[in-house]
C-alpha cells in the first residue's frame, strides 16, 4: 500500500509549554528546545509524501520560543500549498512578557484570542499549574484590548470549581468586556464547558460534572455540555459499528524526540506510529495507513457495544459529548489491555 496523502499536517513540539494545566487533553511531557534544523528535518521528512503540507513549530503553547517570528516565517516557507493557521490562539505567557508580541500578532491577522479560566485566582492558578496565571490572564485581556484584539474567555468546569462560574462572569461584566470589544468592532465571547476526558483531564473523571450540577450553569451553555454517561452507554450497547480513525488528510504530532502520533486524542503509547529518526517517515505513514497502532486497530475492529460494555458505567450521570465519550472509552479499553 502506498503512503502518499492528499494533504499532511505535521506539528513539532519544539519548546513545549510554560503551563501544566490539569485539563490538558494532549497530556504533559517535558519541554524541549529544538532547533530550526529540526523543524526543517521534520518538513523534509513528510514532504515527498504529499503535495499539500502544513507545517507547525508547536502543538502545545504557540510562540513559546523567543524566535517565534522567524518560526512563523519558516512554517510558511516549509509548508506546501497550505498556510499554517493561528486558531485564535496566542501565548498568554508571552503576552505578559514581550511588548512587541501582541502588536506582531495583530499585524499577522489575529483579531481574537482565547484565554482559559477555571474560576477565580486560587482555582485558576491551581488548574493551570502556575502561580500568577490568573493575574496574567487578566493582564493579557487588557493588553489584547489595547491592541484591538478581542479576548474570548473559556471557563473549564468540574465539581470543584463550578461555584465560581458566576464570579468569573461578573468579573467580565465589571471589566466591561462586551462594551470594549464592541468598540473595536468585535464581539466578546464567553463560554463554559467541561472539556474532553483524555490526557490530564481523564484524571478528573471522578469530579466531572453530573446532570444534577446543571442548575448551577447558565442555560445558554447547556448545549455544550452533552448528556449523561448512562444515556450514551445504553445507546452504545446497541451499536455494533466500529470506527476507522484514519483521515484522508492526517494531522501528526511529532514530539521533541521525533516520536509520531496521530492527533486523535492525547499522546498515548497505544497511538504510537514510530520514530521519524529511527524508523523513518515511510514506516510511520505505513503504520498510520494500515491502522497499525493499537488504538487504531482496536477502534477499527472492536464494536462500540463492546467498548461500552467493558469500560462504560451504566449508572453514571457524568456529562459527556458523544465524541468525547467514544474517545474516553477507546483510551480506557487500550489502557486496560
Ligand atoms: S492545555 Fe495547553 S496551555 Fe495547558 S498545559 Fe496543555 S498545552 Fe499547555
Amino acid at each position: 500500500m502506498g503512503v502518499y496523502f492528499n494533504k499532511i499536517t505535521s506539528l513539532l513540539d519544539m519548546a513545549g509549554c510554560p503551563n501544566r494545566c490539569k485539563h490538558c487533553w494532549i497530556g504533559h511531557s517535558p519541554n524541549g528546545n529544538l532547533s530550526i534544523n529540526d523543524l526543517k528535518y521534520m518538513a523534509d521528512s513528510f514532504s515527498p509524501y504529499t503535495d499539500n503540507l502544513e507545517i507547525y513549530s508547536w502543538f502545545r503553547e504557540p510562540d513559546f520560543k523567543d524566535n517565534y517570528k522567524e518560526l512563523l516565517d519558516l512554517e510558511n516557507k516549509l509548508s506546501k500549498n497550505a498556510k499554517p493557521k493561528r486558531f485564535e490562539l496566542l501565548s498568554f505567557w508571552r503576552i505578559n512578557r514581550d511588548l512587541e508580541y501582541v502588536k506582531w500578532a495583530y499585524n499577522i491577522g489575529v483579531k481574537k484570542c482565547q484565554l482559559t479560566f477555571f474560576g477565580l485566582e486560587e482555582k485558576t492558578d491551581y488548574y493551570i499549574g502556575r502561580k500568577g496565571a490568573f493575574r496574567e490572564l487578566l493582564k493579557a485581556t487588557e493588553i489584547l484590548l489595547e491592541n484591538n484584539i478581542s479576548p474570548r474567555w473559556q471557563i473549564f468546569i468540574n465539581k470543584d470549581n463550578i461555584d465560581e462560574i458566576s464570579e468569573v462572569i461578573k468579573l467580565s461584566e465589571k471589566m466591561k468586556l462586551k462594551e470594549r470589544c464592541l468598540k473595536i468592532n468585535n464581539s466578546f465571547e464567553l463560554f463554559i464547558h467541561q472539556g474532553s476526558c483524555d490526557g490530564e483531564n481523564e484524571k478528573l473523571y471522578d469530579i466531572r460534572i453530573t446532570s444534577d450540577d446543571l442548575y448551577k450553569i447558565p442555560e445558554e451553555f447547556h448545549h455544550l455540555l452533552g448528556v449523561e454517561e448512562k444515556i450514551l452507554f445504553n445507546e452504545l450497547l446497541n451499536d455494533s459499528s466500529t470506527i476507522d480513525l484514519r483521515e484522508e488528510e492526517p494531522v501528526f504530532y511529532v514530539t521533541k524526540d521525533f516520536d509520531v502520533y496521530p492527533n486523535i486524542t492525547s499522546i498515548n503509547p497505544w497511538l504510537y506510529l514510530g520514530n521519524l529518526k529511527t524508523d523513518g517517515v515511510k514506516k510511520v505513514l505505513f503504520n498510520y495507513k494500515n491502522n497499525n497502532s493499537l488504538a487504531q486497530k482496536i477502534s477499527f475492529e472492536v464494536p462500540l457495544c463492546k467498548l461500552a460494555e467493558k469500560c462504560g458505567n451504566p449508572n453514571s450521570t457524568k456529562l459527556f459529548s458523544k465524541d468525547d465519550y467514544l474517545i474516553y472509552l477507546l483510551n480506557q479499553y487500550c489502557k486496560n489491555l
Side-chain angles (χ1 to χ4, degrees):
M1 187 186 281
V3 289
Y4 187 86
F5 290 87
N6 180 44
K7 183 178 179 189
I8 293 176
T9 301
S10 66
L11 308 94
L12 182 62
D13 188 23
M14 289 183 73
C17 180
N19 308 318
R20 288 294 177 270
C21 304
K22 291 188 171 46
H23 76 298
C24 183
W25 68 277
I26 297 174
H28 295 167
S29 56
N31 292 348
N33 185 16
L34 300 193
S35 69
I36 278 177
N37 281 340
D38 292 323
L39 187 65
K40 287 183 180 157
Y41 169 79
M42 179 187 75
D44 289 347
S45 300
F46 285 103
S47 189
Y49 299 95
T50 184
D51 284 333
N52 301 285
L53 182 65
E54 202 167 308
I55 292 293
Y56 292 85
S57 59
W58 60 279
F59 63 77
R60 292 200 279 165
E61 181 86 336
D63 313 316
F64 186 33
K65 261 181 109 64
D66 287 341
N67 59 342
Y68 60 93
K69 295 179 196 165
E70 184 186 5
L71 287 175
L72 182 69
D73 288 343
L74 200 58
E75 286 176 4
N76 278 298
K77 225 178 263 168
L78 295 172
S79 294
K80 268 196 297 188
N81 302 317
K83 193 173 162 54
K85 303 171 194 69
R86 296 301 303 183
F87 308 106
E88 299 182 344
L89 293 176
L90 292 173
S91 162
F92 79 90
W93 178 90
R94 183 167 294 287
I95 294 175
N96 276 267
R97 290 165 178 78
D98 179 341
L99 289 175
E100 279 176 45
Y101 177 49
V102 176
K103 296 186 194 320
W104 169 83
Y106 181 81
N107 287 332
I108 60 161
V110 178
K111 299 290 176 280
K112 270 188 191 180
C113 168
Q114 182 162 286
L115 300 169
T116 303
F117 291 80
F118 298 87
L120 296 177
E121 184 161 7
E122 198 183 311
K123 279 284 182 244
T124 297
D125 284 2
Y126 165 76
Y127 264 99
I128 291 184
R130 191 156 68 73
K131 235 187 152 20
F134 177 78
R135 282 172 191 268
E136 286 185 14
L137 287 165
L138 295 189
K139 196 169 161 207
T141 300
E142 294 296 340
I143 296 173
L144 288 166
L145 282 165
E146 279 161 23
N147 288 279
N148 299 320
I149 297 178
S150 284
R152 173 173 54 228
W153 283 14
Q154 70 167 336
I155 312 173
F156 271 96
I157 41 158
N158 286 304
K159 281 185 177 288
D160 67 338
N161 63 351
I162 195 165
D163 290 328
E164 297 195 9
I165 291 176
S166 58
E167 296 302 317
V168 180
I169 294 176
K170 267 190 224 152
L171 181 61
S172 75
E173 287 163 0
K174 199 170 147 206
M175 290 170 75
K176 298 199 178 310
L177 297 183
K178 252 187 202 161
E179 295 81 346
R180 291 166 75 191
C181 286
L182 267 179
K183 268 193 192 156
I184 55 170
N185 293 325
N186 233 327
S187 57
F188 173 62
E189 291 167 52
L190 181 148
F191 65 100
I192 297 168
H193 64 134
Q194 73 276 51
S196 53
C197 195
D198 47 358
E200 298 302 313
N201 218 9
E202 187 193 298
K203 298 175 187 159
L204 305 177
Y205 175 85
D206 287 343
I207 54 165
R208 196 170 178 83
I209 53 163
T210 47
S211 49
D212 56 353
D213 291 318
L214 280 170
Y215 76 97
K216 297 179 182 168
I217 305 166
E219 229 178 294
E220 64 196 281
F221 303 111
H222 287 190
H223 70 283
L224 300 172
L225 303 174
V227 296
E228 291 177 327
E229 177 174 3
K230 64 181 179 189
I231 295 176
L232 293 168
F233 176 87
N234 281 315
E235 202 181 287
L236 291 173
L237 281 188
N238 298 315
D239 192 336
S240 55
S241 63
T242 58
I243 297 179
D244 187 349
L245 292 171
R246 290 171 296 190
E247 301 279 351
E248 299 268 311
E249 300 185 347
V251 179
F252 296 113
Y253 289 142
V254 182
T255 69
K256 70 174 179 59
D257 301 314
F258 297 94
D259 291 330
V260 186
Y261 301 82
N263 90 325
I264 293 165
T265 167
S266 41
I267 290 179
N268 289 317
W270 44 90
L271 275 160
Y272 182 59
L273 294 169
N275 184 281
L276 270 195
K277 294 214 161 165
T278 54
D279 296 309
V281 69
K282 203 166 177 182
K283 185 165 176 197
V284 165
L285 294 174
F286 180 86
N287 283 340
Y288 179 79
K289 208 152 201 171
N290 290 282
N291 269 335
N292 281 351
S293 73
L294 179 66
Q296 281 177 283
K297 200 171 153 58
I298 295 292
S299 186
F300 192 54
E301 290 175 359
V302 179
L304 295 177
C305 51
K306 198 164 170 206
L307 294 185
E309 217 177 86
K310 263 210 128 163
C311 307
N313 179 348
N315 302 312
S316 158
T317 56
K318 294 181 195 310
L319 297 174
F320 279 93
S321 74
K322 188 164 181 184
D323 286 350
D324 287 346
Y325 191 54
L326 292 177
I327 287 293
Y328 166 76
L329 290 178
L330 177 64
N331 281 329
Q332 295 305 305
Y333 192 95
C334 292
K335 193 192 289 180
N336 292 329
L337 275 181

